[in-house]
Each structure stands twice: as structure tokens, then as C-alpha cells.
Amino acid sequence: MININEFVNEHVIKRSKSMFFDDLEKNHGHLTEKTKGKKILVIGGAGSIGTSFIRSILPLEPSELIVVDINENALAELTRDLRATKGMYLPKDYIPYPIDYASPSFKKMFLKRKGFDIVDRKSVV
């Protein structure tokens, strides 16, 4: 069976580690301090950029991760992937919401949760 990560590293990006690896390692303590225990909202999080962001932020142990995207299938795939990844930290308060960020449902969710410490917006038109 093909390992997609190895294939991408070898044939697409032609490097074995992220070009940001050294910066992330150098600033890991600062990033952890700013992220650990925080409530995070990712809007448009089921796409490729949002998914990469989520995978990068989870090791920093946020207390909550709310992912909003209109693509319900992609949210389900993201959730399955995160839960199946060995050693992946996933906060107890992880909720994928298949809603439009401009909808009344989004506003209701946002107000009920009393806001977030970090809001990241990906691929939102």
C-alpha cells in the first residue's frame, strides 16, 4: 500500500520535512504558551489548508477545537482521520459543525460558546 505522505514528500514537494520545521521547532515553547488550553475556532477547516493548520495546532493542546465548514463530507473525513492518527492529541471538546459561517446557526453557536481565544479563517469567500 502506498504511503501518501511519503509519496508527496518524495515526488511533489521534494523534501522530507516542512520548510517551516526549523522555525516551528525554534518557537515551539512560545507557540505552546500561546495555544495550550485555548479555545480555537477554525472556519473553513475541512479543506487542505485548514486541515494542515489543524494538524499543526493540535500538538499544542488547545482545550477546545471547533471546526466550521459547509462541506459535511470533508468534515467527516477530517474527523475520522484525526481520530485514527496514532498519538494525535484531540481535545475532549472537539466539534465539527457543517454550517455556513454567515448563517444564524453559526451566530447562535458562537454566542453560546462565548467567543474563542483564537479564530482562524481558511478559504472563506
Side-chain angles (χ1 to χ4, degrees):
M1 182 160 178
I2 188 169
N3 180 317
I4 193 67
N5 290 330
E6 287 177 14
F7 178 84
V8 169
N9 289 347
E10 185 175 332
H11 299 287
V12 179
I13 62 174
K14 300 185 189 277
R15 60 181 176 268
S16 62
K17 66 180 183 177
S18 166
M19 59 195 264
F20 303 110
F21 181 81
D22 293 335
D23 282 337
L24 290 172
E25 286 296 307
K26 178 180 168 186
N27 295 294
H28 187 267
H30 179 70
L31 292 168
T32 300
E33 176 187 314
K34 296 293 185 184
T35 307
K36 189 170 186 165
K38 303 292 185 185
K39 297 167 46 176
I40 298 178
L41 167 65
V42 181
I43 301 170
S48 59
I49 296 170
T51 298
S52 293
F53 174 78
I54 289 166
R55 288 180 142 303
S56 296
I57 202 106
L58 284 175
L60 303 176
E61 300 182 3
S63 63
E64 296 179 21
L65 176 61
I66 308 303
V67 183
V68 171
D69 202 294
I70 58 173
N71 187 334
E72 187 172 359
N73 289 332
L75 280 172
E77 187 175 325
L78 168 66
T79 300
R80 277 193 300 271
D81 185 47
L82 292 175
R83 290 183 175 154
T85 301
K86 186 177 179 180
M88 176 65 71
Y89 170 80
L90 197 59
K92 289 182 183 180
D93 199 359
Y94 164 72
I95 302 174
Y97 279 112
I99 57 177
D100 183 335
Y101 82 100
S103 72
S105 297
F106 177 86
K107 182 178 180 180
K108 182 178 178 182
M109 176 277 297
F110 192 91
L111 293 173
K112 182 177 181 184
R113 292 189 162 273
K114 298 182 174 124
F116 295 87
D117 300 307
I118 300 169
V119 176
D120 188 71
R121 195 174 68 154
K122 301 292 177 207
S123 303
V124 177
V125 180

